[in-house]
Amino acid sequence: MGQTINGVLRRHGLILAFLVFLGGVALNADAFLTPGNILDVLRQVSITGMMALGVTFVVLTGRLDLSVGSLLTLLTVIVVDQHNIAGPFPAIVMTLLVGVAVGAFNGLLVGFVGLNALIVTLAMLSFLQGLVLFYSGGSNVNVANAQETWFGVFGRGDFLGLPVPVILFLVGAVIAGLVLQFTTFGRRVYGVGGNETASIFSGIDARWTVFWTYVVSGFTTGVAAVIMGSRVMGAQNTIGQGYELTVLAGVILGGTSLLGGSGSIWRTVIGISMLGFIQNGLLLLGFPYYVQWLVTWAVIIIAVWIDLGAKRGRIFA
Amino acid sequence: MDDVILKVEGITKTFPGVKALDNVSFDIRPGEVHALVGENGAGKSTLMKALAGLHKPDSGQIVYQGAPTEVTGPLDARQKGILLIHQELSLSPELSVAENIYLGAWPTNRFGVLKKRELRRNASKALEALGCGFGPDVRVGTLSVAMQQMVEIARAEAFSANVVIFDEPTASLTDTEKDQLFHTIRGLKARGVGIVYISHKMDEIFDITDRITVLRDGQVQGTVDTADTDLNQVTRMMIGRTLDTFFVKAKAEFGEEVLRVEELSKSGLFQDVSFSVREGEVLGLYGLVGAGRSEVVETVFGVRRADGGKIFWKGGDIALPTPRQSIDMGMALVPESRKEQGLVLMMGGRENTSLPHLSLFSELSVMNRPKELATFEKYRSALSIKTTGPDQAVSQLSGGNQQKFVLAKWLCADPKLIILDEPTRGIDVGSKSAIHELIADLAERGLAVIVISSEMPEVLGVSHRVLAMSEGAVVAEFEGDDMTEENLIDAVSHHRGEAAA
Ligand SMILES: Nc1ncnc2c1ncn2[C@@H]1O[C@H](COP(=O)(O)OP(=O)(O)OP(=O)(O)O)[C@@H](O)[C@H]1O
Ligand SMILES: [Mg+2]
């Protein structure tokens, strides 16, 4: 989409601040820039990143998906539990299908019924958390035959020296990026997000477009759950808690506008990776792990503020 | 120096890829109406935005009341007494009239609490001075465009403006509203306010202004006294040639009926509207703003739902089409409001042009970029659109050039019926006659054309047949020699009189 001077400046301002932060951490924590740590961060990022790919579609239409945190929990519980019951392959298929179904339901309520996206997905967040406890009966699940199954490949495997989850994320990002930039669906997403009325006047069915973005979001969360289950070889009832905001923070940190119509997948890849390194850096500096909540808060506020400021042409203008 | 209130000296303003203003000098005297004219994208709005503090010039200075002045923002400009009334109105629809008049400069007490009574009192005074028919407490969103404009003008009273700039103020006004506006402008003028008047309507320019400055590609071509010049000279300064003032009408050779509408109704908007249009025919829809013309065509196109009535496409009943179905059948609607309905502002011309026809510009859902670019280039030159490239966001284009992309996106798929809702709003004289020729050309190529216009000469000039609409009903139909201004005025005002009685 059109790169404005403003856009370039705000990107560079953020990236500059990020590089300064990286340098600071590297000087104070020797482990930070070791290949082992970097791969660790990327493994973590591959899960939030995979979810963020789908959420980017939703945000580009000017809507939100806050249900993905609980959805990740539910789907991880499902994939692990069904792995024990039905085996890895059926478990994965079922997980993806449930993800798509939940996305479709969100899409129905937001796209067709026209309910507010924030409320619909926030309510879904709560509903799914309840469903998790209902499904699991409150206990954690673990993969029974962890040593024998090939299921571990998605979260723990390596291929050509790269972790498999990172490869999955990058492949997903490339596909999502191509879809947004080069297909008619991508064009509709940008159209609806940029100006819904003008898109309707152009014969685009905004309802279906919105619907499909939620389906994509449900699907990518399903893939993320497979990686998560495979990595942990189990699932706690709170495993995805807070992920909805981390994912959103990554998307908007990359510069995709909450107002819709501008942003891209590569921005999301950058944003979510930056967030991963920030959180890891803080841990290595000795901050307790829960500062990541504060970081998410700060990132969201700053990113939204910059987004709004750039729209008004005040900050960095 | 005494008789100049504001002077612009050598202002230059560059945007990436365009020099919008190139060493422009220009002055405004108290009590004069100074016209600023030029083609779409000549730099008129940019110059005025520089005066109002919305753009910072790269070089040059503004001398205001004898002293070099820097205007830091719109509010600063207003407080200094320079008021810009935008090409696109800029009020907050949710706020009251009084709050809008003082937007951003609300009187508050020490604790930052709004002084409501003072706000109301001052606003009432300003409204009364202008003779507005509404009070300070009305929510702005409920007012008509003309009334909203009065709210903006009321700021001139409220801030005792010395300079008031009108950027295409009559683009969406009816003739009566225009007369009212001119009355207001003459009032301001008599009080010694210096006025800048930007318009593409030459009759207005010659009616109300004292001097005319012509801009072309960001440079001043010259300033002349209105009394000493004529249309031909000004046009030549603007576009380098003169224009024929007569309209070219398409040959009246009609084919099959393309669209027929029978007793279409939507409660509260229009009732029992019937008409039809044939291949090669240009049907005009005349009426005052608010007569329901746009609503009718939006319903035919499918973005609104009718309560009753029938729509036939080439003889077949197509009850309640969706916009997608309409487009695929070969219908095109150039909507009334380019910013809200016409364009995705952050997209470039290329993406906007292909937006209604994604399947034509793709194979297996993959966009065909070379085809998009070719179409973009074709219409860029055909409509002489000023843009730096296929991906320059259309939000950065001048108003008239945006309008041309709205036309391009609907022409590029060879429709069978094209509905043009105010197609020349905000378009310069040269391109305007180009669009009139285009309409004739489309009709001669066998398209059915429906033209909605509030400009009587335009609707009479291009159409073979004209329907007059008033208050949601078709009140008369004229053809051939009956198509006269008197008949049209008579039809719409007579009906109004009847309805009132
Ligand atoms: N914010 C912007 N960014 C980039 N280019 C701009 C911007 N604003 C205006 N321009 C460019 O500056 C030139 C002058 O535009 P301007 O809006 O002043 O034209 P105008 O004379 O008012 O035309 P119109 O009659 O169509 O309203 C155009 O080429 C336009 O594309
Ligand atoms: Mg303009």
Side-chain angles (χ1 to χ4, degrees), chain B residues 258 313-314 326-334 357 379 407-419 442 445-449:
Chain B
V258 177
W313 179 259
K314 297 191 170 165
S326 302
I327 296 168
D328 292 342
M329 285 185 310
M331 207 189 285
L333 170 64
V334 173
H357 325 288
Y379 284 93
L407 285 169
K409 77 187 254 193
W410 288 111
L411 290 175
C412 71
D414 290 327
K416 307 267 184 300
L417 162 70
I418 184 160
I419 305 171
L442 292 173
R445 280 177 12 213
L447 268 78
V449 184

PDB file of all heavy atoms in Angstrom, chain B residues 258 313-314 326-334 357 379 407-419 442 445-449:
ATOM      1  N   VAL B 258     -32.779  -1.057 -22.443  1.00  0.00           N
ATOM      2  CA  VAL B 258     -31.811  -1.721 -21.577  1.00  0.00           C
ATOM      3  C   VAL B 258     -32.358  -1.874 -20.164  1.00  0.00           C
ATOM      4  O   VAL B 258     -32.295  -2.932 -19.569  1.00  0.00           O
ATOM      5  CB  VAL B 258     -30.477  -0.937 -21.532  1.00  0.00           C
ATOM      6  CG1 VAL B 258     -29.496  -1.602 -20.577  1.00  0.00           C
ATOM      7  CG2 VAL B 258     -29.882  -0.851 -22.925  1.00  0.00           C
ATOM      8  N   TRP B 313     -34.203  -5.718 -16.738  1.00  0.00           N
ATOM      9  CA  TRP B 313     -32.950  -5.555 -17.457  1.00  0.00           C
ATOM     10  C   TRP B 313     -33.089  -6.257 -18.789  1.00  0.00           C
ATOM     11  O   TRP B 313     -33.314  -7.462 -18.831  1.00  0.00           O
ATOM     12  CB  TRP B 313     -31.800  -6.152 -16.638  1.00  0.00           C
ATOM     13  CG  TRP B 313     -30.461  -6.047 -17.299  1.00  0.00           C
ATOM     14  CD1 TRP B 313     -29.809  -7.048 -17.968  1.00  0.00           C
ATOM     15  CD2 TRP B 313     -29.619  -4.897 -17.350  1.00  0.00           C
ATOM     16  NE1 TRP B 313     -28.616  -6.579 -18.439  1.00  0.00           N
ATOM     17  CE2 TRP B 313     -28.459  -5.268 -18.079  1.00  0.00           C
ATOM     18  CE3 TRP B 313     -29.726  -3.588 -16.866  1.00  0.00           C
ATOM     19  CZ2 TRP B 313     -27.415  -4.376 -18.325  1.00  0.00           C
ATOM     20  CZ3 TRP B 313     -28.682  -2.706 -17.104  1.00  0.00           C
ATOM     21  CH2 TRP B 313     -27.552  -3.093 -17.833  1.00  0.00           C
ATOM     22  N   LYS B 314     -33.039  -5.513 -19.866  1.00  0.00           N
ATOM     23  CA  LYS B 314     -33.228  -6.066 -21.199  1.00  0.00           C
ATOM     24  C   LYS B 314     -34.481  -6.929 -21.255  1.00  0.00           C
ATOM     25  O   LYS B 314     -34.459  -8.064 -21.749  1.00  0.00           O
ATOM     26  CB  LYS B 314     -32.003  -6.882 -21.607  1.00  0.00           C
ATOM     27  CG  LYS B 314     -30.782  -5.996 -21.694  1.00  0.00           C
ATOM     28  CD  LYS B 314     -29.629  -6.706 -22.338  1.00  0.00           C
ATOM     29  CE  LYS B 314     -28.525  -5.711 -22.633  1.00  0.00           C
ATOM     30  NZ  LYS B 314     -27.259  -6.332 -22.927  1.00  0.00           N
ATOM     31  N   SER B 326     -25.524  -6.530 -10.580  1.00  0.00           N
ATOM     32  CA  SER B 326     -25.694  -5.393 -11.481  1.00  0.00           C
ATOM     33  C   SER B 326     -24.439  -5.160 -12.300  1.00  0.00           C
ATOM     34  O   SER B 326     -24.502  -4.959 -13.511  1.00  0.00           O
ATOM     35  CB  SER B 326     -26.009  -4.127 -10.686  1.00  0.00           C
ATOM     36  OG  SER B 326     -27.168  -4.313  -9.929  1.00  0.00           O
ATOM     37  N   ILE B 327     -23.288  -5.192 -11.628  1.00  0.00           N
ATOM     38  CA  ILE B 327     -22.029  -4.943 -12.335  1.00  0.00           C
ATOM     39  C   ILE B 327     -21.801  -6.027 -13.375  1.00  0.00           C
ATOM     40  O   ILE B 327     -21.436  -5.747 -14.513  1.00  0.00           O
ATOM     41  CB  ILE B 327     -20.847  -4.896 -11.338  1.00  0.00           C
ATOM     42  CG1 ILE B 327     -20.997  -3.712 -10.384  1.00  0.00           C
ATOM     43  CG2 ILE B 327     -19.513  -4.809 -12.083  1.00  0.00           C
ATOM     44  CD1 ILE B 327     -20.049  -3.746  -9.207  1.00  0.00           C
ATOM     45  N   ASP B 328     -22.050  -7.279 -12.982  1.00  0.00           N
ATOM     46  CA  ASP B 328     -21.802  -8.371 -13.916  1.00  0.00           C
ATOM     47  C   ASP B 328     -22.744  -8.332 -15.119  1.00  0.00           C
ATOM     48  O   ASP B 328     -22.395  -8.775 -16.207  1.00  0.00           O
ATOM     49  CB  ASP B 328     -21.898  -9.718 -13.196  1.00  0.00           C
ATOM     50  CG  ASP B 328     -20.743  -9.893 -12.209  1.00  0.00           C
ATOM     51  OD1 ASP B 328     -19.740  -9.158 -12.350  1.00  0.00           O
ATOM     52  OD2 ASP B 328     -20.843 -10.736 -11.306  1.00  0.00           O
ATOM     53  N   MET B 329     -23.957  -7.786 -14.910  1.00  0.00           N
ATOM     54  CA  MET B 329     -24.862  -7.639 -16.047  1.00  0.00           C
ATOM     55  C   MET B 329     -24.404  -6.543 -16.997  1.00  0.00           C
ATOM     56  O   MET B 329     -24.782  -6.530 -18.155  1.00  0.00           O
ATOM     57  CB  MET B 329     -26.266  -7.273 -15.562  1.00  0.00           C
ATOM     58  CG  MET B 329     -27.025  -8.432 -14.955  1.00  0.00           C
ATOM     59  SD  MET B 329     -28.716  -7.973 -14.537  1.00  0.00           S
ATOM     60  CE  MET B 329     -28.502  -6.475 -13.635  1.00  0.00           C
ATOM     61  N   GLY B 330     -23.597  -5.613 -16.472  1.00  0.00           N
ATOM     62  CA  GLY B 330     -23.127  -4.525 -17.317  1.00  0.00           C
ATOM     63  C   GLY B 330     -23.639  -3.170 -16.880  1.00  0.00           C
ATOM     64  O   GLY B 330     -23.749  -2.248 -17.689  1.00  0.00           O
ATOM     65  N   MET B 331     -23.954  -3.044 -15.607  1.00  0.00           N
ATOM     66  CA  MET B 331     -24.418  -1.762 -15.089  1.00  0.00           C
ATOM     67  C   MET B 331     -23.263  -1.111 -14.358  1.00  0.00           C
ATOM     68  O   MET B 331     -22.456  -1.788 -13.732  1.00  0.00           O
ATOM     69  CB  MET B 331     -25.576  -2.005 -14.108  1.00  0.00           C
ATOM     70  CG  MET B 331     -26.555  -0.861 -13.993  1.00  0.00           C
ATOM     71  SD  MET B 331     -27.720  -1.108 -12.635  1.00  0.00           S
ATOM     72  CE  MET B 331     -28.809  -2.348 -13.285  1.00  0.00           C
ATOM     73  N   ALA B 332     -23.163   0.206 -14.450  1.00  0.00           N
ATOM     74  CA  ALA B 332     -22.115   0.915 -13.729  1.00  0.00           C
ATOM     75  C   ALA B 332     -22.730   2.132 -13.069  1.00  0.00           C
ATOM     76  O   ALA B 332     -23.570   2.797 -13.666  1.00  0.00           O
ATOM     77  CB  ALA B 332     -21.000   1.341 -14.680  1.00  0.00           C
ATOM     78  N   LEU B 333     -22.330   2.398 -11.836  1.00  0.00           N
ATOM     79  CA  LEU B 333     -22.849   3.569 -11.134  1.00  0.00           C
ATOM     80  C   LEU B 333     -21.685   4.417 -10.640  1.00  0.00           C
ATOM     81  O   LEU B 333     -20.914   3.988  -9.792  1.00  0.00           O
ATOM     82  CB  LEU B 333     -23.714   3.140  -9.944  1.00  0.00           C
ATOM     83  CG  LEU B 333     -24.125   4.260  -8.984  1.00  0.00           C
ATOM     84  CD1 LEU B 333     -25.006   5.286  -9.672  1.00  0.00           C
ATOM     85  CD2 LEU B 333     -24.846   3.696  -7.768  1.00  0.00           C
ATOM     86  N   VAL B 334     -21.557   5.590 -11.200  1.00  0.00           N
ATOM     87  CA  VAL B 334     -20.570   6.549 -10.703  1.00  0.00           C
ATOM     88  C   VAL B 334     -21.261   7.322  -9.596  1.00  0.00           C
ATOM     89  O   VAL B 334     -22.144   8.134  -9.865  1.00  0.00           O
ATOM     90  CB  VAL B 334     -20.129   7.511 -11.821  1.00  0.00           C
ATOM     91  CG1 VAL B 334     -19.233   8.599 -11.274  1.00  0.00           C
ATOM     92  CG2 VAL B 334     -19.417   6.734 -12.914  1.00  0.00           C
ATOM     93  N   HIS B 357     -13.990  -4.842 -10.700  1.00  0.00           N
ATOM     94  CA  HIS B 357     -13.936  -5.891 -11.732  1.00  0.00           C
ATOM     95  C   HIS B 357     -12.794  -6.857 -11.450  1.00  0.00           C
ATOM     96  O   HIS B 357     -12.037  -7.209 -12.347  1.00  0.00           O
ATOM     97  CB  HIS B 357     -13.730  -5.267 -13.112  1.00  0.00           C
ATOM     98  CG  HIS B 357     -14.410  -3.958 -13.284  1.00  0.00           C
ATOM     99  ND1 HIS B 357     -15.770  -3.841 -13.412  1.00  0.00           N
ATOM    100  CD2 HIS B 357     -13.928  -2.699 -13.302  1.00  0.00           C
ATOM    101  CE1 HIS B 357     -16.091  -2.552 -13.521  1.00  0.00           C
ATOM    102  NE2 HIS B 357     -15.000  -1.853 -13.443  1.00  0.00           N
ATOM    103  N   TYR B 379      -6.452   5.025 -19.003  1.00  0.00           N
ATOM    104  CA  TYR B 379      -7.365   6.056 -18.517  1.00  0.00           C
ATOM    105  C   TYR B 379      -6.634   7.275 -17.993  1.00  0.00           C
ATOM    106  O   TYR B 379      -7.161   8.375 -18.035  1.00  0.00           O
ATOM    107  CB  TYR B 379      -8.334   5.467 -17.476  1.00  0.00           C
ATOM    108  CG  TYR B 379      -9.377   4.657 -18.189  1.00  0.00           C
ATOM    109  CD1 TYR B 379      -9.224   3.299 -18.376  1.00  0.00           C
ATOM    110  CD2 TYR B 379     -10.469   5.290 -18.769  1.00  0.00           C
ATOM    111  CE1 TYR B 379     -10.146   2.571 -19.087  1.00  0.00           C
ATOM    112  CE2 TYR B 379     -11.400   4.569 -19.487  1.00  0.00           C
ATOM    113  CZ  TYR B 379     -11.237   3.204 -19.641  1.00  0.00           C
ATOM    114  OH  TYR B 379     -12.152   2.502 -20.362  1.00  0.00           O
ATOM    115  N   LEU B 407     -14.534   7.846 -12.459  1.00  0.00           N
ATOM    116  CA  LEU B 407     -15.020   7.569 -13.812  1.00  0.00           C
ATOM    117  C   LEU B 407     -14.260   6.403 -14.428  1.00  0.00           C
ATOM    118  O   LEU B 407     -14.855   5.486 -15.011  1.00  0.00           O
ATOM    119  CB  LEU B 407     -14.846   8.806 -14.695  1.00  0.00           C
ATOM    120  CG  LEU B 407     -15.840   9.924 -14.461  1.00  0.00           C
ATOM    121  CD1 LEU B 407     -15.414  11.175 -15.195  1.00  0.00           C
ATOM    122  CD2 LEU B 407     -17.221   9.475 -14.941  1.00  0.00           C
ATOM    123  N   ALA B 408     -12.935   6.414 -14.264  1.00  0.00           N
ATOM    124  CA  ALA B 408     -12.108   5.379 -14.884  1.00  0.00           C
ATOM    125  C   ALA B 408     -12.516   3.999 -14.397  1.00  0.00           C
ATOM    126  O   ALA B 408     -12.627   3.057 -15.181  1.00  0.00           O
ATOM    127  CB  ALA B 408     -10.634   5.627 -14.564  1.00  0.00           C
ATOM    128  N   LYS B 409     -12.791   3.873 -13.092  1.00  0.00           N
ATOM    129  CA  LYS B 409     -13.061   2.534 -12.577  1.00  0.00           C
ATOM    130  C   LYS B 409     -14.361   1.981 -13.137  1.00  0.00           C
ATOM    131  O   LYS B 409     -14.548   0.774 -13.198  1.00  0.00           O
ATOM    132  CB  LYS B 409     -13.038   2.516 -11.048  1.00  0.00           C
ATOM    133  CG  LYS B 409     -14.266   3.072 -10.365  1.00  0.00           C
ATOM    134  CD  LYS B 409     -14.042   3.143  -8.850  1.00  0.00           C
ATOM    135  CE  LYS B 409     -14.816   2.070  -8.135  1.00  0.00           C
ATOM    136  NZ  LYS B 409     -14.875   2.268  -6.687  1.00  0.00           N
ATOM    137  N   TRP B 410     -15.253   2.873 -13.566  1.00  0.00           N
ATOM    138  CA  TRP B 410     -16.519   2.379 -14.097  1.00  0.00           C
ATOM    139  C   TRP B 410     -16.527   2.259 -15.611  1.00  0.00           C
ATOM    140  O   TRP B 410     -17.298   1.505 -16.184  1.00  0.00           O
ATOM    141  CB  TRP B 410     -17.675   3.243 -13.608  1.00  0.00           C
ATOM    142  CG  TRP B 410     -17.900   2.971 -12.172  1.00  0.00           C
ATOM    143  CD1 TRP B 410     -17.666   3.834 -11.131  1.00  0.00           C
ATOM    144  CD2 TRP B 410     -18.314   1.739 -11.584  1.00  0.00           C
ATOM    145  NE1 TRP B 410     -17.920   3.204  -9.939  1.00  0.00           N
ATOM    146  CE2 TRP B 410     -18.323   1.921 -10.189  1.00  0.00           C
ATOM    147  CE3 TRP B 410     -18.672   0.495 -12.093  1.00  0.00           C
ATOM    148  CZ2 TRP B 410     -18.683   0.912  -9.297  1.00  0.00           C
ATOM    149  CZ3 TRP B 410     -19.035  -0.508 -11.216  1.00  0.00           C
ATOM    150  CH2 TRP B 410     -19.046  -0.286  -9.834  1.00  0.00           C
ATOM    151  N   LEU B 411     -15.648   3.018 -16.260  1.00  0.00           N
ATOM    152  CA  LEU B 411     -15.617   2.930 -17.716  1.00  0.00           C
ATOM    153  C   LEU B 411     -14.828   1.723 -18.195  1.00  0.00           C
ATOM    154  O   LEU B 411     -15.073   1.195 -19.278  1.00  0.00           O
ATOM    155  CB  LEU B 411     -14.991   4.204 -18.295  1.00  0.00           C
ATOM    156  CG  LEU B 411     -15.855   5.452 -18.157  1.00  0.00           C
ATOM    157  CD1 LEU B 411     -15.090   6.672 -18.637  1.00  0.00           C
ATOM    158  CD2 LEU B 411     -17.142   5.273 -18.953  1.00  0.00           C
ATOM    159  N   CYS B 412     -13.872   1.269 -17.374  1.00  0.00           N
ATOM    160  CA  CYS B 412     -12.876   0.331 -17.891  1.00  0.00           C
ATOM    161  C   CYS B 412     -13.440  -1.045 -18.215  1.00  0.00           C
ATOM    162  O   CYS B 412     -12.789  -1.825 -18.891  1.00  0.00           O
ATOM    163  CB  CYS B 412     -11.693   0.227 -16.948  1.00  0.00           C
ATOM    164  SG  CYS B 412     -12.052  -0.629 -15.434  1.00  0.00           S
ATOM    165  N   ALA B 413     -14.647  -1.365 -17.732  1.00  0.00           N
ATOM    166  CA  ALA B 413     -15.154  -2.708 -18.019  1.00  0.00           C
ATOM    167  C   ALA B 413     -16.246  -2.706 -19.079  1.00  0.00           C
ATOM    168  O   ALA B 413     -17.026  -3.652 -19.171  1.00  0.00           O
ATOM    169  CB  ALA B 413     -15.661  -3.368 -16.746  1.00  0.00           C
ATOM    170  N   ASP B 414     -16.300  -1.647 -19.887  1.00  0.00           N
ATOM    171  CA  ASP B 414     -17.285  -1.569 -20.975  1.00  0.00           C
ATOM    172  C   ASP B 414     -18.708  -1.906 -20.544  1.00  0.00           C
ATOM    173  O   ASP B 414     -19.273  -2.923 -20.965  1.00  0.00           O
ATOM    174  CB  ASP B 414     -16.890  -2.502 -22.126  1.00  0.00           C
ATOM    175  CG  ASP B 414     -15.670  -1.998 -22.846  1.00  0.00           C
ATOM    176  OD1 ASP B 414     -15.523  -0.756 -22.930  1.00  0.00           O
ATOM    177  OD2 ASP B 414     -14.867  -2.818 -23.300  1.00  0.00           O
ATOM    178  N   PRO B 415     -19.303  -1.072 -19.711  1.00  0.00           N
ATOM    179  CA  PRO B 415     -20.669  -1.363 -19.258  1.00  0.00           C
ATOM    180  C   PRO B 415     -21.692  -1.188 -20.384  1.00  0.00           C
ATOM    181  O   PRO B 415     -21.387  -0.605 -21.427  1.00  0.00           O
ATOM    182  CB  PRO B 415     -20.895  -0.321 -18.165  1.00  0.00           C
ATOM    183  CG  PRO B 415     -19.980   0.814 -18.528  1.00  0.00           C
ATOM    184  CD  PRO B 415     -18.784   0.186 -19.173  1.00  0.00           C
ATOM    185  N   LYS B 416     -22.902  -1.735 -20.162  1.00  0.00           N
ATOM    186  CA  LYS B 416     -23.998  -1.546 -21.121  1.00  0.00           C
ATOM    187  C   LYS B 416     -24.832  -0.335 -20.735  1.00  0.00           C
ATOM    188  O   LYS B 416     -25.445   0.311 -21.564  1.00  0.00           O
ATOM    189  CB  LYS B 416     -24.924  -2.768 -21.116  1.00  0.00           C
ATOM    190  CG  LYS B 416     -24.211  -4.076 -21.324  1.00  0.00           C
ATOM    191  CD  LYS B 416     -24.195  -4.440 -22.791  1.00  0.00           C
ATOM    192  CE  LYS B 416     -23.570  -5.806 -23.002  1.00  0.00           C
ATOM    193  NZ  LYS B 416     -22.165  -5.857 -22.502  1.00  0.00           N
ATOM    194  N   LEU B 417     -24.878  -0.105 -19.426  1.00  0.00           N
ATOM    195  CA  LEU B 417     -25.609   1.051 -18.906  1.00  0.00           C
ATOM    196  C   LEU B 417     -24.702   1.736 -17.909  1.00  0.00           C
ATOM    197  O   LEU B 417     -24.163   1.089 -17.013  1.00  0.00           O
ATOM    198  CB  LEU B 417     -26.895   0.600 -18.190  1.00  0.00           C
ATOM    199  CG  LEU B 417     -27.536   1.631 -17.248  1.00  0.00           C
ATOM    200  CD1 LEU B 417     -28.134   2.787 -18.030  1.00  0.00           C
ATOM    201  CD2 LEU B 417     -28.594   0.984 -16.370  1.00  0.00           C
ATOM    202  N   ILE B 418     -24.532   3.039 -18.077  1.00  0.00           N
ATOM    203  CA  ILE B 418     -23.741   3.742 -17.084  1.00  0.00           C
ATOM    204  C   ILE B 418     -24.580   4.852 -16.477  1.00  0.00           C
ATOM    205  O   ILE B 418     -25.237   5.612 -17.183  1.00  0.00           O
ATOM    206  CB  ILE B 418     -22.391   4.251 -17.660  1.00  0.00           C
ATOM    207  CG1 ILE B 418     -21.556   4.892 -16.547  1.00  0.00           C
ATOM    208  CG2 ILE B 418     -22.581   5.227 -18.805  1.00  0.00           C
ATOM    209  CD1 ILE B 418     -20.084   4.979 -16.882  1.00  0.00           C
ATOM    210  N   ILE B 419     -24.623   4.854 -15.156  1.00  0.00           N
ATOM    211  CA  ILE B 419     -25.378   5.877 -14.433  1.00  0.00           C
ATOM    212  C   ILE B 419     -24.359   6.834 -13.834  1.00  0.00           C
ATOM    213  O   ILE B 419     -23.473   6.418 -13.099  1.00  0.00           O
ATOM    214  CB  ILE B 419     -26.211   5.242 -13.305  1.00  0.00           C
ATOM    215  CG1 ILE B 419     -27.124   4.148 -13.867  1.00  0.00           C
ATOM    216  CG2 ILE B 419     -27.020   6.305 -12.580  1.00  0.00           C
ATOM    217  CD1 ILE B 419     -27.814   3.331 -12.788  1.00  0.00           C
ATOM    218  N   LEU B 442     -20.020   7.636 -25.563  1.00  0.00           N
ATOM    219  CA  LEU B 442     -20.507   6.374 -25.000  1.00  0.00           C
ATOM    220  C   LEU B 442     -21.871   6.030 -25.581  1.00  0.00           C
ATOM    221  O   LEU B 442     -22.125   4.888 -25.981  1.00  0.00           O
ATOM    222  CB  LEU B 442     -20.613   6.478 -23.476  1.00  0.00           C
ATOM    223  CG  LEU B 442     -19.296   6.603 -22.707  1.00  0.00           C
ATOM    224  CD1 LEU B 442     -19.561   6.880 -21.233  1.00  0.00           C
ATOM    225  CD2 LEU B 442     -18.462   5.347 -22.864  1.00  0.00           C
ATOM    226  N   ARG B 445     -21.726   4.807 -29.008  1.00  0.00           N
ATOM    227  CA  ARG B 445     -21.235   3.427 -29.089  1.00  0.00           C
ATOM    228  C   ARG B 445     -22.282   2.433 -28.615  1.00  0.00           C
ATOM    229  O   ARG B 445     -22.015   1.245 -28.498  1.00  0.00           O
ATOM    230  CB  ARG B 445     -19.950   3.276 -28.268  1.00  0.00           C
ATOM    231  CG  ARG B 445     -18.764   3.789 -29.054  1.00  0.00           C
ATOM    232  CD  ARG B 445     -17.447   3.763 -28.323  1.00  0.00           C
ATOM    233  NE  ARG B 445     -17.413   3.017 -27.088  1.00  0.00           N
ATOM    234  CZ  ARG B 445     -16.658   3.364 -26.043  1.00  0.00           C
ATOM    235  NH1 ARG B 445     -15.932   4.461 -26.085  1.00  0.00           N
ATOM    236  NH2 ARG B 445     -16.646   2.629 -24.970  1.00  0.00           N
ATOM    237  N   GLY B 446     -23.482   2.932 -28.293  1.00  0.00           N
ATOM    238  CA  GLY B 446     -24.579   2.022 -27.983  1.00  0.00           C
ATOM    239  C   GLY B 446     -24.852   1.825 -26.510  1.00  0.00           C
ATOM    240  O   GLY B 446     -25.683   1.002 -26.134  1.00  0.00           O
ATOM    241  N   LEU B 447     -24.168   2.555 -25.637  1.00  0.00           N
ATOM    242  CA  LEU B 447     -24.476   2.437 -24.217  1.00  0.00           C
ATOM    243  C   LEU B 447     -25.737   3.203 -23.891  1.00  0.00           C
ATOM    244  O   LEU B 447     -26.042   4.217 -24.519  1.00  0.00           O
ATOM    245  CB  LEU B 447     -23.346   3.034 -23.368  1.00  0.00           C
ATOM    246  CG  LEU B 447     -22.232   2.122 -22.908  1.00  0.00           C
ATOM    247  CD1 LEU B 447     -21.287   1.881 -24.047  1.00  0.00           C
ATOM    248  CD2 LEU B 447     -21.519   2.745 -21.734  1.00  0.00           C
ATOM    249  N   ALA B 448     -26.442   2.723 -22.897  1.00  0.00           N
ATOM    250  CA  ALA B 448     -27.506   3.529 -22.315  1.00  0.00           C
ATOM    251  C   ALA B 448     -26.873   4.352 -21.206  1.00  0.00           C
ATOM    252  O   ALA B 448     -26.042   3.841 -20.460  1.00  0.00           O
ATOM    253  CB  ALA B 448     -28.591   2.630 -21.747  1.00  0.00           C
ATOM    254  N   VAL B 449     -27.231   5.628 -21.135  1.00  0.00           N
ATOM    255  CA  VAL B 449     -26.597   6.505 -20.147  1.00  0.00           C
ATOM    256  C   VAL B 449     -27.676   7.223 -19.348  1.00  0.00           C
ATOM    257  O   VAL B 449     -28.652   7.715 -19.915  1.00  0.00           O
ATOM    258  CB  VAL B 449     -25.700   7.563 -20.836  1.00  0.00           C
ATOM    259  CG1 VAL B 449     -24.972   8.409 -19.795  1.00  0.00           C
ATOM    260  CG2 VAL B 449     -24.705   6.911 -21.775  1.00  0.00           C
TER     261      VAL B 449
END
